[in-house]
Amino acid sequence: MDTKMQASNDIKILISCHKDIDYPDSDIYLPVHVGAQNAVQPLPGMQPDNDGENISDRNFTFCELTAQYWAWKNLKADYIGLCHYRRFFCFSETKEKPNDHAQIVEPVLSPYSICKYRLNDEALIREAVSKSDLIRAPYWDVSESVTPAGKKRTIREHMIGYGLFTDKDVDKLIEIVSRLAPEYRDALIQYLNGSKYLGYNCFIMKRDLFDRLCSFEFPVLLEFDREFSYENMTTTRKRICGYFGEILYSVFINQIIREGSYSIAEYPLVFFDNTSPLFHIEQLSRNDASNDIDIVWRYGDASAARFSIVVNSLLDNISPSNNYRLTIIHDSQFKMTELRRFITEVPSNLELRDATFPVIAADESESGLTIDEFELLLPFAILQRLIAGRHGRVIWIDGCALFEHDPQDLFSYTTDSGVAVMDGIHLEKELNKPASWKLLNSYLNQNGSWAMYDPSFMLIDARTAGCIASNYDYLSSYRKACDQYGFDLAKTLKGAKSNFAKQKARPGSARDQFYLPLECMVVLSTMLRALQPTTIAMNQVFPVLSSGDVSTWANEKHAKEWSNIDDSQVYFYKPESGPFLDNANVFCSKYWRRARQSDAYETLLTFITAYRPTSLKDKVLPPYSKRRRLLGRIRRVLRRVLPIG
């Protein structure tokens, strides 16, 4: 890409990248492959930083600044900005609370998060930039942040506490600034001895300011680089010019603020934990061939060992006469490399692909959902896209499903809607408990029958779904269902996940998997009813629960049907029923028979030995139940009323 001779009156925000990412699709952004000089191969679609006059070979120490140097020498634009593959300015009026580094933290850089924070909204970015000469991130107080060496009072002590450089290195920097840019010496010392940190080398500024910054920064850093010895240094210590670049950038910004001649705006940075390229659900092949099946499997737990048992059950049962594509949607902390060590050899007729949640691009209406709501509604968002795209036959799984037969055999149902779903016996069981009778009556009044559905396992034949392809809108269905019951599921999910995190953090906790609040299951079932799906027979997909719970709480007709099943093609394990803890359940033994033949068996045993039996209190008053919450309110009232010492 030759931009040196391009005259342009525009904004260019460089994205410093050393690997491929899902960056915002906008002409304003210019992804730059830093360290391209020594890279094995170029990153597709990115500007290499070794084009024209450059310091690409010094990327190991200058980090993102090799992109900045390239822009200084080769790029023409009215405004030039710099962000990183992990950090982007957020110009939308987000309500997300920043962390102690004044950054908004998101788990994954994805089409959803790009839309959520409007990172690719050119009009919004141009409006913000047009009002300012300089855009910077907020300052934050290092004295409130803990380093590996404890809390530190000053920026100098803080960064040394992280092992980024030494006192001797800082003295060397001050000495070089005193020689080459003496007008900045006092400002540098003052900044290092203060606690208000800026850093990160993220900015957008007018060209004249950008030239001033680079003319100050690079002569100092290049001289330091020339005089510094990198021999026997760790990778972190070798990045010293990048760290000192953050300091010099901050000193420059403080100088601009003191001059008072420029308009300066402050916008937060969004920091993304995971920036690996994502597989998008839109990439599913349109499989019109009768023997092609897509399996989209959402797994929300972090344990690859647990998941490997059910994945192996699928791999062992697929027919050589069919073609399969298995897309695993996992969270950022899940390690696909670990899963691959535990699973058997992948057959040649199955393509294995992994995708990090949230996996699909959100449109403007979807970006208004919280991330918890978006995760809840993911099967419906995918369903809507599959139907509209005529993607053929798809199996959607959310959880832990053990296969005993070829997945091809599941497609024996006939339905005009093209959608078949698992029987919602788990929802029925929960609604029949005394604490939920009111909600059960509301469900029956709204829907007119006992039919309940669970979207955890769905069979979709989009080729026959013409009757709903043109008018299916899952967001309207979701909002209508919430309004029917008066639920605020965003608030409900946030509270439930917060309570789960606290419970899981307790030593020996039995709560190591999150399961949905009852209100969520009611809304999902109501949404599915609008599609008029076929119920998958239990001898095809069997929901594994505790037999005692089913016989006590499920509808008598459905409980009898459930208890009469001897064999099924798929066993679907709900989180609270095992198969990891409920070893007495005969259907859980199917999981463990497979597990004993797996390399993951010893790892799985650690979950059992760490299990803490449920206390009598938790049996009578289950955590997060309405009865438990009521007890908590009564105790709080009594504490206020009674003089308890």
PDB file of all heavy atoms in Angstrom, residues 48 84 118 242 325:
ATOM      1  N   PRO A  48       2.063  -2.503   5.902  1.00  0.00           N
ATOM      2  CA  PRO A  48       3.284  -2.910   6.613  1.00  0.00           C
ATOM      3  C   PRO A  48       4.072  -1.684   7.062  1.00  0.00           C
ATOM      4  O   PRO A  48       4.134  -0.676   6.351  1.00  0.00           O
ATOM      5  CB  PRO A  48       4.042  -3.718   5.559  1.00  0.00           C
ATOM      6  CG  PRO A  48       3.551  -3.190   4.247  1.00  0.00           C
ATOM      7  CD  PRO A  48       2.126  -2.789   4.457  1.00  0.00           C
ATOM      8  N   HIS A  84      -4.404   0.695  19.454  1.00  0.00           N
ATOM      9  CA  HIS A  84      -3.761  -0.615  19.411  1.00  0.00           C
ATOM     10  C   HIS A  84      -4.794  -1.674  19.071  1.00  0.00           C
ATOM     11  O   HIS A  84      -6.002  -1.440  19.147  1.00  0.00           O
ATOM     12  CB  HIS A  84      -3.133  -0.962  20.760  1.00  0.00           C
ATOM     13  CG  HIS A  84      -2.300   0.142  21.350  1.00  0.00           C
ATOM     14  ND1 HIS A  84      -1.874   0.125  22.654  1.00  0.00           N
ATOM     15  CD2 HIS A  84      -1.813   1.292  20.822  1.00  0.00           C
ATOM     16  CE1 HIS A  84      -1.172   1.206  22.905  1.00  0.00           C
ATOM     17  NE2 HIS A  84      -1.127   1.933  21.808  1.00  0.00           N
ATOM     18  N   ARG A 118     -19.849   1.455  18.854  1.00  0.00           N
ATOM     19  CA  ARG A 118     -19.909   2.279  17.643  1.00  0.00           C
ATOM     20  C   ARG A 118     -18.506   2.639  17.164  1.00  0.00           C
ATOM     21  O   ARG A 118     -18.237   3.769  16.747  1.00  0.00           O
ATOM     22  CB  ARG A 118     -20.756   3.529  17.902  1.00  0.00           C
ATOM     23  CG  ARG A 118     -22.189   3.202  18.296  1.00  0.00           C
ATOM     24  CD  ARG A 118     -22.976   4.420  18.704  1.00  0.00           C
ATOM     25  NE  ARG A 118     -23.226   5.319  17.575  1.00  0.00           N
ATOM     26  CZ  ARG A 118     -23.887   6.474  17.712  1.00  0.00           C
ATOM     27  NH1 ARG A 118     -24.325   6.863  18.882  1.00  0.00           N
ATOM     28  NH2 ARG A 118     -24.079   7.234  16.653  1.00  0.00           N
ATOM     29  N   GLY A 242       9.197   1.456  23.941  1.00  0.00           N
ATOM     30  CA  GLY A 242       7.745   1.613  23.915  1.00  0.00           C
ATOM     31  C   GLY A 242       7.229   2.191  25.218  1.00  0.00           C
ATOM     32  O   GLY A 242       6.368   3.085  25.227  1.00  0.00           O
ATOM     33  N   ARG A 325     -19.914 -29.926   9.455  1.00  0.00           N
ATOM     34  CA  ARG A 325     -19.116 -28.793   9.907  1.00  0.00           C
ATOM     35  C   ARG A 325     -19.489 -28.530  11.359  1.00  0.00           C
ATOM     36  O   ARG A 325     -20.648 -28.235  11.653  1.00  0.00           O
ATOM     37  CB  ARG A 325     -19.372 -27.557   9.045  1.00  0.00           C
ATOM     38  CG  ARG A 325     -18.697 -27.584   7.690  1.00  0.00           C
ATOM     39  CD  ARG A 325     -19.163 -26.449   6.802  1.00  0.00           C
ATOM     40  NE  ARG A 325     -20.560 -26.617   6.442  1.00  0.00           N
ATOM     41  CZ  ARG A 325     -20.981 -27.306   5.373  1.00  0.00           C
ATOM     42  NH1 ARG A 325     -20.082 -27.870   4.578  1.00  0.00           N
ATOM     43  NH2 ARG A 325     -22.249 -27.421   5.098  1.00  0.00           N
TER      44      ARG A 325
END
